[in-house]
Short mmCIF file of all heavy atoms in Angstrom, two decimals:
data_model
loop_
_atom_site.label_atom_id
_atom_site.label_comp_id
_atom_site.label_asym_id
_atom_site.label_seq_id
_atom_site.Cartn_x
_atom_site.Cartn_y
_atom_site.Cartn_z
N MET O 1 -5.94 -17.18 -21.97
CA MET O 1 -6.30 -16.16 -20.99
C MET O 1 -5.70 -14.83 -21.42
O MET O 1 -4.51 -14.73 -21.69
CB MET O 1 -5.78 -16.56 -19.60
CG MET O 1 -6.09 -15.50 -18.56
SD MET O 1 -5.28 -15.72 -16.96
CE MET O 1 -6.06 -17.16 -16.36
N LYS O 2 -6.50 -13.82 -21.49
CA LYS O 2 -6.05 -12.49 -21.90
C LYS O 2 -5.52 -11.73 -20.68
O LYS O 2 -6.12 -11.75 -19.61
CB LYS O 2 -7.21 -11.73 -22.52
CG LYS O 2 -6.83 -10.37 -23.03
CD LYS O 2 -8.02 -9.67 -23.65
CE LYS O 2 -7.61 -8.28 -24.10
NZ LYS O 2 -8.74 -7.55 -24.65
N THR O 3 -4.38 -11.07 -20.85
CA THR O 3 -3.84 -10.24 -19.78
C THR O 3 -4.11 -8.78 -20.11
O THR O 3 -4.20 -8.39 -21.27
CB THR O 3 -2.33 -10.46 -19.59
OG1 THR O 3 -1.68 -10.15 -20.81
CG2 THR O 3 -2.03 -11.88 -19.16
N SER O 4 -4.23 -7.97 -19.06
CA SER O 4 -4.53 -6.56 -19.25
C SER O 4 -3.29 -5.71 -19.03
O SER O 4 -2.39 -6.10 -18.29
CB SER O 4 -5.62 -6.15 -18.26
OG SER O 4 -5.87 -4.77 -18.36
N ASN O 5 -3.25 -4.56 -19.66
CA ASN O 5 -2.14 -3.64 -19.49
C ASN O 5 -2.32 -2.74 -18.28
O ASN O 5 -1.41 -2.00 -17.94
CB ASN O 5 -1.96 -2.78 -20.75
CG ASN O 5 -1.50 -3.61 -21.93
OD1 ASN O 5 -0.85 -4.63 -21.77
ND2 ASN O 5 -1.85 -3.18 -23.11
N THR O 6 -3.51 -2.77 -17.67
CA THR O 6 -3.78 -1.95 -16.48
C THR O 6 -4.68 -2.71 -15.52
O THR O 6 -5.32 -3.69 -15.89
CB THR O 6 -4.48 -0.62 -16.85
OG1 THR O 6 -5.74 -0.91 -17.43
CG2 THR O 6 -3.63 0.23 -17.77
N VAL O 7 -4.70 -2.24 -14.28
CA VAL O 7 -5.64 -2.72 -13.27
C VAL O 7 -6.36 -1.51 -12.71
O VAL O 7 -5.79 -0.41 -12.65
CB VAL O 7 -4.98 -3.52 -12.14
CG1 VAL O 7 -4.39 -4.81 -12.65
CG2 VAL O 7 -3.92 -2.70 -11.44
N THR O 8 -7.59 -1.68 -12.30
CA THR O 8 -8.38 -0.60 -11.74
C THR O 8 -8.20 -0.60 -10.22
O THR O 8 -8.34 -1.64 -9.59
CB THR O 8 -9.86 -0.76 -12.09
OG1 THR O 8 -9.98 -0.81 -13.51
CG2 THR O 8 -10.68 0.40 -11.56
N GLU O 9 -7.89 0.54 -9.66
CA GLU O 9 -7.74 0.70 -8.22
C GLU O 9 -8.53 1.93 -7.77
O GLU O 9 -8.74 2.86 -8.54
CB GLU O 9 -6.28 0.89 -7.81
CG GLU O 9 -5.43 -0.34 -7.93
CD GLU O 9 -5.75 -1.43 -6.92
OE1 GLU O 9 -6.41 -1.13 -5.89
OE2 GLU O 9 -5.33 -2.56 -7.16
N TRP O 10 -8.91 1.95 -6.52
CA TRP O 10 -9.62 3.08 -5.90
C TRP O 10 -8.60 3.92 -5.15
O TRP O 10 -7.84 3.41 -4.33
CB TRP O 10 -10.66 2.56 -4.92
CG TRP O 10 -11.39 3.63 -4.19
CD1 TRP O 10 -11.16 4.02 -2.89
CD2 TRP O 10 -12.44 4.44 -4.66
NE1 TRP O 10 -12.02 5.02 -2.55
CE2 TRP O 10 -12.83 5.31 -3.62
CE3 TRP O 10 -13.12 4.54 -5.88
CZ2 TRP O 10 -13.83 6.25 -3.76
CZ3 TRP O 10 -14.12 5.47 -6.00
CH2 TRP O 10 -14.47 6.30 -4.96
N CYS O 11 -8.55 5.20 -5.43
CA CYS O 11 -7.68 6.11 -4.70
C CYS O 11 -8.47 6.69 -3.54
O CYS O 11 -9.49 7.36 -3.74
CB CYS O 11 -7.17 7.24 -5.60
SG CYS O 11 -6.12 8.41 -4.70
N SER O 12 -8.02 6.44 -2.35
CA SER O 12 -8.76 6.90 -1.17
C SER O 12 -8.61 8.40 -0.94
O SER O 12 -9.41 8.99 -0.21
CB SER O 12 -8.30 6.14 0.07
OG SER O 12 -6.92 6.35 0.29
N LEU O 13 -7.65 9.04 -1.59
CA LEU O 13 -7.49 10.49 -1.41
C LEU O 13 -8.43 11.26 -2.35
O LEU O 13 -9.25 12.06 -1.89
CB LEU O 13 -6.05 10.92 -1.67
CG LEU O 13 -5.79 12.41 -1.46
CD1 LEU O 13 -5.97 12.79 0.01
CD2 LEU O 13 -4.41 12.78 -1.93
N CYS O 14 -8.36 11.01 -3.63
CA CYS O 14 -9.20 11.76 -4.58
C CYS O 14 -10.53 11.07 -4.86
O CYS O 14 -11.41 11.65 -5.49
CB CYS O 14 -8.45 12.03 -5.87
SG CYS O 14 -8.12 10.56 -6.87
N GLU O 15 -10.68 9.85 -4.38
CA GLU O 15 -11.91 9.06 -4.51
C GLU O 15 -12.32 8.82 -5.97
O GLU O 15 -13.48 8.87 -6.32
CB GLU O 15 -13.04 9.69 -3.71
CG GLU O 15 -12.73 9.73 -2.23
CD GLU O 15 -13.87 10.24 -1.37
OE1 GLU O 15 -14.82 10.84 -1.90
OE2 GLU O 15 -13.80 10.01 -0.15
N TYR O 16 -11.32 8.53 -6.79
CA TYR O 16 -11.54 8.15 -8.18
C TYR O 16 -11.07 6.72 -8.38
O TYR O 16 -10.12 6.29 -7.73
CB TYR O 16 -10.73 9.03 -9.15
CG TYR O 16 -11.36 10.36 -9.45
CD1 TYR O 16 -11.10 11.47 -8.67
CD2 TYR O 16 -12.20 10.51 -10.56
CE1 TYR O 16 -11.67 12.70 -8.96
CE2 TYR O 16 -12.77 11.74 -10.86
CZ TYR O 16 -12.50 12.82 -10.06
OH TYR O 16 -13.06 14.04 -10.35
N GLU O 17 -11.72 6.01 -9.29
CA GLU O 17 -11.17 4.75 -9.76
C GLU O 17 -10.15 5.11 -10.83
O GLU O 17 -10.46 5.87 -11.74
CB GLU O 17 -12.26 3.86 -10.35
CG GLU O 17 -13.07 3.16 -9.31
CD GLU O 17 -13.96 2.08 -9.91
OE1 GLU O 17 -14.24 2.10 -11.13
OE2 GLU O 17 -14.39 1.22 -9.13
N VAL O 18 -8.95 4.59 -10.69
CA VAL O 18 -7.88 4.94 -11.63
C VAL O 18 -7.26 3.66 -12.18
O VAL O 18 -7.37 2.59 -11.60
CB VAL O 18 -6.80 5.81 -10.95
CG1 VAL O 18 -7.38 7.15 -10.52
CG2 VAL O 18 -6.18 5.10 -9.75
N GLU O 19 -6.61 3.78 -13.31
CA GLU O 19 -5.92 2.67 -13.95
C GLU O 19 -4.44 2.75 -13.61
O GLU O 19 -3.81 3.79 -13.74
CB GLU O 19 -6.11 2.73 -15.46
CG GLU O 19 -7.56 2.60 -15.91
CD GLU O 19 -8.16 1.26 -15.57
OE1 GLU O 19 -7.49 0.22 -15.80
OE2 GLU O 19 -9.30 1.23 -15.08
N LEU O 20 -3.91 1.61 -13.13
CA LEU O 20 -2.49 1.51 -12.78
C LEU O 20 -1.85 0.39 -13.58
O LEU O 20 -2.54 -0.47 -14.12
CB LEU O 20 -2.33 1.20 -11.28
CG LEU O 20 -2.88 2.22 -10.29
CD1 LEU O 20 -2.69 1.70 -8.87
CD2 LEU O 20 -2.24 3.57 -10.46
N ALA O 21 -0.52 0.39 -13.62
CA ALA O 21 0.21 -0.69 -14.26
C ALA O 21 -0.05 -1.98 -13.47
O ALA O 21 -0.18 -1.94 -12.24
CB ALA O 21 1.70 -0.38 -14.28
N PRO O 22 -0.13 -3.13 -14.12
CA PRO O 22 -0.41 -4.38 -13.43
C PRO O 22 0.82 -5.00 -12.77
O PRO O 22 1.18 -6.14 -13.01
CB PRO O 22 -0.96 -5.26 -14.56
CG PRO O 22 -0.23 -4.79 -15.76
CD PRO O 22 -0.08 -3.30 -15.56
N VAL O 23 1.47 -4.22 -11.93
CA VAL O 23 2.65 -4.69 -11.19
C VAL O 23 2.43 -4.43 -9.71
O VAL O 23 1.77 -3.46 -9.32
CB VAL O 23 3.95 -4.00 -11.66
CG1 VAL O 23 4.28 -4.42 -13.08
CG2 VAL O 23 3.86 -2.51 -11.56
N PHE O 24 2.97 -5.32 -8.88
CA PHE O 24 2.79 -5.22 -7.44
C PHE O 24 3.92 -4.38 -6.84
O PHE O 24 4.91 -4.90 -6.31
CB PHE O 24 2.74 -6.62 -6.81
CG PHE O 24 2.30 -6.61 -5.38
CD1 PHE O 24 1.06 -6.14 -5.03
CD2 PHE O 24 3.14 -7.08 -4.38
CE1 PHE O 24 0.64 -6.13 -3.72
CE2 PHE O 24 2.74 -7.08 -3.07
CZ PHE O 24 1.49 -6.62 -2.73
N GLN O 25 3.76 -3.06 -6.95
CA GLN O 25 4.69 -2.12 -6.34
C GLN O 25 3.95 -0.81 -6.12
O GLN O 25 2.90 -0.57 -6.71
CB GLN O 25 5.90 -1.88 -7.24
CG GLN O 25 5.57 -1.21 -8.56
CD GLN O 25 6.78 -1.15 -9.49
OE1 GLN O 25 7.67 -1.99 -9.43
NE2 GLN O 25 6.79 -0.16 -10.35
N LYS O 26 4.48 0.02 -5.23
CA LYS O 26 3.85 1.31 -4.98
C LYS O 26 3.83 2.11 -6.27
O LYS O 26 4.80 2.09 -7.04
CB LYS O 26 4.60 2.09 -3.90
CG LYS O 26 4.46 1.48 -2.53
CD LYS O 26 5.19 2.30 -1.48
CE LYS O 26 5.04 1.64 -0.12
NZ LYS O 26 5.68 2.42 0.93
N GLN O 27 2.72 2.80 -6.52
CA GLN O 27 2.57 3.59 -7.73
C GLN O 27 1.99 4.95 -7.38
O GLN O 27 1.70 5.22 -6.22
CB GLN O 27 1.67 2.84 -8.73
CG GLN O 27 2.27 1.50 -9.13
CD GLN O 27 1.45 0.78 -10.15
OE1 GLN O 27 1.09 1.34 -11.18
NE2 GLN O 27 1.16 -0.48 -9.88
N THR O 28 1.82 5.79 -8.37
CA THR O 28 1.29 7.13 -8.15
C THR O 28 -0.07 7.24 -8.83
O THR O 28 -0.21 6.87 -9.99
CB THR O 28 2.25 8.19 -8.75
OG1 THR O 28 3.53 8.03 -8.14
CG2 THR O 28 1.75 9.59 -8.49
N CYS O 29 -1.03 7.78 -8.10
CA CYS O 29 -2.36 8.00 -8.66
C CYS O 29 -2.23 8.98 -9.82
O CYS O 29 -1.69 10.08 -9.65
CB CYS O 29 -3.31 8.56 -7.60
SG CYS O 29 -4.92 9.04 -8.25
N PRO O 30 -2.72 8.62 -11.00
CA PRO O 30 -2.60 9.52 -12.14
C PRO O 30 -3.50 10.75 -12.04
O PRO O 30 -3.28 11.73 -12.74
CB PRO O 30 -3.02 8.65 -13.34
CG PRO O 30 -3.83 7.56 -12.76
CD PRO O 30 -3.33 7.35 -11.36
N HIS O 31 -4.44 10.74 -11.12
CA HIS O 31 -5.35 11.87 -10.97
C HIS O 31 -4.82 12.90 -9.97
O HIS O 31 -4.74 14.08 -10.28
CB HIS O 31 -6.74 11.39 -10.55
CG HIS O 31 -7.76 12.46 -10.52
ND1 HIS O 31 -8.11 13.12 -9.37
CD2 HIS O 31 -8.50 13.00 -11.52
CE1 HIS O 31 -9.02 14.01 -9.66
NE2 HIS O 31 -9.28 13.97 -10.95
N CYS O 32 -4.44 12.45 -8.77
CA CYS O 32 -4.03 13.40 -7.72
C CYS O 32 -2.56 13.31 -7.33
O CYS O 32 -2.08 14.07 -6.50
CB CYS O 32 -4.90 13.21 -6.48
SG CYS O 32 -4.57 11.67 -5.58
N LYS O 33 -1.84 12.34 -7.89
CA LYS O 33 -0.40 12.14 -7.67
C LYS O 33 -0.06 11.58 -6.29
O LYS O 33 1.09 11.55 -5.88
CB LYS O 33 0.41 13.42 -7.93
CG LYS O 33 0.14 14.05 -9.27
CD LYS O 33 0.37 13.10 -10.41
CE LYS O 33 0.12 13.80 -11.74
NZ LYS O 33 -0.34 12.94 -12.78
N GLU O 34 -1.05 11.13 -5.54
CA GLU O 34 -0.83 10.50 -4.24
C GLU O 34 -0.27 9.09 -4.46
O GLU O 34 -0.57 8.42 -5.44
CB GLU O 34 -2.15 10.42 -3.47
CG GLU O 34 -2.07 9.74 -2.13
CD GLU O 34 -1.33 10.55 -1.08
OE1 GLU O 34 -1.08 11.76 -1.28
OE2 GLU O 34 -1.02 9.98 -0.03
N GLU O 35 0.57 8.62 -3.52
CA GLU O 35 1.05 7.26 -3.58
C GLU O 35 -0.13 6.31 -3.38
O GLU O 35 -0.99 6.54 -2.53
CB GLU O 35 2.09 7.03 -2.48
CG GLU O 35 2.75 5.68 -2.56
CD GLU O 35 3.84 5.56 -1.52
OE1 GLU O 35 3.52 5.24 -0.36
OE2 GLU O 35 5.01 5.79 -1.88
N ILE O 36 -0.19 5.28 -4.19
CA ILE O 36 -1.29 4.34 -4.12
C ILE O 36 -0.73 2.92 -4.24
O ILE O 36 0.25 2.69 -4.95
CB ILE O 36 -2.33 4.64 -5.23
CG1 ILE O 36 -3.58 3.79 -5.06
CG2 ILE O 36 -1.75 4.49 -6.60
CD1 ILE O 36 -4.71 4.21 -6.00
N LEU O 37 -1.32 2.00 -3.50
CA LEU O 37 -0.90 0.60 -3.53
C LEU O 37 -1.85 -0.18 -4.43
O LEU O 37 -3.06 0.01 -4.36
CB LEU O 37 -0.92 0.00 -2.13
CG LEU O 37 -0.04 0.70 -1.09
CD1 LEU O 37 -0.21 0.03 0.26
CD2 LEU O 37 1.41 0.70 -1.52
N PRO O 38 -1.33 -1.06 -5.26
CA PRO O 38 -2.17 -1.85 -6.16
C PRO O 38 -2.74 -3.08 -5.45
O PRO O 38 -2.35 -4.22 -5.72
CB PRO O 38 -1.21 -2.23 -7.29
CG PRO O 38 0.10 -2.35 -6.59
CD PRO O 38 0.10 -1.28 -5.53
N CYS O 39 -3.66 -2.87 -4.55
CA CYS O 39 -4.20 -3.95 -3.73
C CYS O 39 -4.85 -5.05 -4.55
O CYS O 39 -4.89 -6.21 -4.12
CB CYS O 39 -5.19 -3.38 -2.71
SG CYS O 39 -4.41 -2.23 -1.57
N ALA O 40 -5.37 -4.74 -5.73
CA ALA O 40 -5.97 -5.76 -6.58
C ALA O 40 -4.93 -6.79 -7.05
O ALA O 40 -5.30 -7.89 -7.43
CB ALA O 40 -6.64 -5.11 -7.79
N GLN O 41 -3.66 -6.44 -6.99
CA GLN O 41 -2.60 -7.35 -7.40
C GLN O 41 -2.10 -8.24 -6.26
O GLN O 41 -1.31 -9.14 -6.48
CB GLN O 41 -1.42 -6.55 -7.97
CG GLN O 41 -1.75 -5.79 -9.21
CD GLN O 41 -2.09 -6.72 -10.35
OE1 GLN O 41 -1.29 -7.56 -10.73
NE2 GLN O 41 -3.28 -6.59 -10.89
N CYS O 42 -2.57 -7.99 -5.05
CA CYS O 42 -2.10 -8.74 -3.88
C CYS O 42 -2.65 -10.17 -3.91
O CYS O 42 -3.81 -10.39 -4.25
CB CYS O 42 -2.56 -8.04 -2.60
SG CYS O 42 -1.96 -8.85 -1.10
N GLU O 43 -1.82 -11.11 -3.53
CA GLU O 43 -2.25 -12.51 -3.51
C GLU O 43 -2.73 -12.97 -2.15
O GLU O 43 -3.51 -13.90 -2.06
CB GLU O 43 -1.11 -13.40 -4.00
CG GLU O 43 -0.79 -13.18 -5.46
CD GLU O 43 0.31 -14.07 -5.96
OE1 GLU O 43 0.85 -14.89 -5.18
OE2 GLU O 43 0.63 -13.96 -7.15
N ASN O 44 -2.29 -12.33 -1.05
CA ASN O 44 -2.66 -12.84 0.26
C ASN O 44 -3.79 -12.06 0.93
O ASN O 44 -4.44 -12.56 1.83
CB ASN O 44 -1.46 -12.96 1.20
CG ASN O 44 -0.91 -11.63 1.64
OD1 ASN O 44 -1.50 -10.57 1.43
ND2 ASN O 44 0.25 -11.65 2.27
N HIS O 45 -4.05 -10.84 0.54
CA HIS O 45 -5.14 -10.01 1.06
C HIS O 45 -5.13 -9.88 2.59
O HIS O 45 -6.17 -9.80 3.21
CB HIS O 45 -6.50 -10.51 0.56
CG HIS O 45 -6.60 -10.51 -0.93
ND1 HIS O 45 -6.70 -9.35 -1.66
CD2 HIS O 45 -6.55 -11.52 -1.82
CE1 HIS O 45 -6.74 -9.66 -2.94
NE2 HIS O 45 -6.64 -10.96 -3.07
N GLU O 46 -3.94 -9.89 3.17
CA GLU O 46 -3.78 -9.65 4.60
C GLU O 46 -3.14 -8.27 4.74
O GLU O 46 -1.93 -8.13 4.83
CB GLU O 46 -2.90 -10.73 5.24
CG GLU O 46 -3.55 -12.10 5.23
CD GLU O 46 -2.68 -13.13 5.91
OE1 GLU O 46 -2.27 -12.89 7.07
OE2 GLU O 46 -2.40 -14.16 5.28
N CYS O 47 -3.99 -7.25 4.77
CA CYS O 47 -3.52 -5.86 4.72
C CYS O 47 -2.58 -5.51 5.87
O CYS O 47 -1.68 -4.70 5.70
CB CYS O 47 -4.70 -4.92 4.69
SG CYS O 47 -5.74 -5.16 3.22
N ASP O 48 -2.78 -6.12 7.04
CA ASP O 48 -1.90 -5.82 8.17
C ASP O 48 -0.50 -6.40 7.97
O ASP O 48 0.42 -6.07 8.71
CB ASP O 48 -2.51 -6.32 9.48
CG ASP O 48 -2.77 -7.80 9.51
OD1 ASP O 48 -3.09 -8.39 8.45
OD2 ASP O 48 -2.68 -8.39 10.61
N LYS O 49 -0.31 -7.24 6.95
CA LYS O 49 1.00 -7.82 6.65
C LYS O 49 1.46 -7.41 5.24
O LYS O 49 2.23 -8.12 4.61
CB LYS O 49 0.94 -9.34 6.75
CG LYS O 49 0.59 -9.84 8.13
CD LYS O 49 0.47 -11.33 8.14
CE LYS O 49 0.04 -11.81 9.52
NZ LYS O 49 -0.19 -13.25 9.54
N CYS O 50 1.01 -6.27 4.76
CA CYS O 50 1.31 -5.83 3.40
C CYS O 50 2.82 -5.66 3.20
O CYS O 50 3.46 -4.87 3.89
CB CYS O 50 0.60 -4.50 3.11
SG CYS O 50 0.98 -3.85 1.47
N PRO O 51 3.41 -6.36 2.23
CA PRO O 51 4.85 -6.21 1.99
C PRO O 51 5.21 -4.85 1.41
O PRO O 51 6.36 -4.44 1.49
CB PRO O 51 5.15 -7.33 0.99
CG PRO O 51 3.86 -7.63 0.34
CD PRO O 51 2.79 -7.34 1.36
N LEU O 52 4.25 -4.13 0.84
CA LEU O 52 4.53 -2.81 0.30
C LEU O 52 4.52 -1.73 1.38
O LEU O 52 4.95 -0.61 1.14
CB LEU O 52 3.52 -2.45 -0.79
CG LEU O 52 3.52 -3.37 -2.01
CD1 LEU O 52 2.46 -2.93 -3.00
CD2 LEU O 52 4.88 -3.41 -2.66
N GLU O 53 4.03 -2.05 2.56
CA GLU O 53 3.97 -1.11 3.66
C GLU O 53 5.08 -1.32 4.69
O GLU O 53 5.14 -0.64 5.68
CB GLU O 53 2.61 -1.20 4.38
CG GLU O 53 1.50 -0.56 3.62
CD GLU O 53 1.64 0.95 3.54
OE1 GLU O 53 2.20 1.58 4.46
OE2 GLU O 53 1.18 1.51 2.54
N ARG O 54 5.93 -2.28 4.45
CA ARG O 54 7.01 -2.56 5.40
C ARG O 54 7.97 -1.38 5.46
O ARG O 54 8.38 -0.84 4.44
CB ARG O 54 7.79 -3.80 5.01
CG ARG O 54 6.99 -5.05 5.20
CD ARG O 54 7.82 -6.26 4.93
NE ARG O 54 6.98 -7.44 5.06
CZ ARG O 54 7.23 -8.58 4.46
NH1 ARG O 54 8.27 -8.72 3.69
NH2 ARG O 54 6.42 -9.60 4.62
N HIS O 55 8.34 -1.02 6.67
CA HIS O 55 9.29 0.07 6.87
C HIS O 55 10.48 -0.47 7.63
O HIS O 55 10.34 -1.26 8.55
CB HIS O 55 8.66 1.22 7.66
CG HIS O 55 7.49 1.82 6.97
ND1 HIS O 55 7.59 2.62 5.87
CD2 HIS O 55 6.15 1.70 7.21
CE1 HIS O 55 6.39 3.00 5.46
NE2 HIS O 55 5.50 2.45 6.26
N ILE O 56 11.66 -0.04 7.26
CA ILE O 56 12.88 -0.47 7.95
C ILE O 56 13.13 0.46 9.11
O ILE O 56 13.23 1.67 8.95
CB ILE O 56 14.10 -0.45 6.99
CG1 ILE O 56 13.84 -1.43 5.84
CG2 ILE O 56 15.37 -0.79 7.73
CD1 ILE O 56 14.88 -1.35 4.74
N SER O 57 13.21 -0.10 10.28
CA SER O 57 13.46 0.70 11.48
C SER O 57 14.96 0.87 11.66
O SER O 57 15.71 -0.10 11.60
CB SER O 57 12.86 0.01 12.70
OG SER O 57 13.20 0.71 13.86
N LEU O 58 15.39 2.10 11.85
CA LEU O 58 16.82 2.38 12.04
C LEU O 58 17.20 2.43 13.52
O LEU O 58 18.35 2.65 13.85
CB LEU O 58 17.17 3.71 11.36
CG LEU O 58 16.95 3.74 9.86
CD1 LEU O 58 17.26 5.14 9.32
CD2 LEU O 58 17.80 2.70 9.15
N SER O 59 16.26 2.22 14.40
CA SER O 59 16.59 2.28 15.83
C SER O 59 16.83 0.90 16.40
O SER O 59 16.61 -0.09 15.82
CB SER O 59 15.46 2.96 16.60
OG SER O 59 14.20 2.40 16.29
#
């Protein structure tokens, strides 16, 4: 099985398909510099439970 050095993601801000590193962490769109999530790398596809969107509440 061949592995790729990039994954294709859609940036909802600039509306371009962009190539990202094949790692499951927040990244930066190479076109518009907006933060982008590599959803293609997600294994559970439950967006409402995205581990990359978790925020720590200080209250």
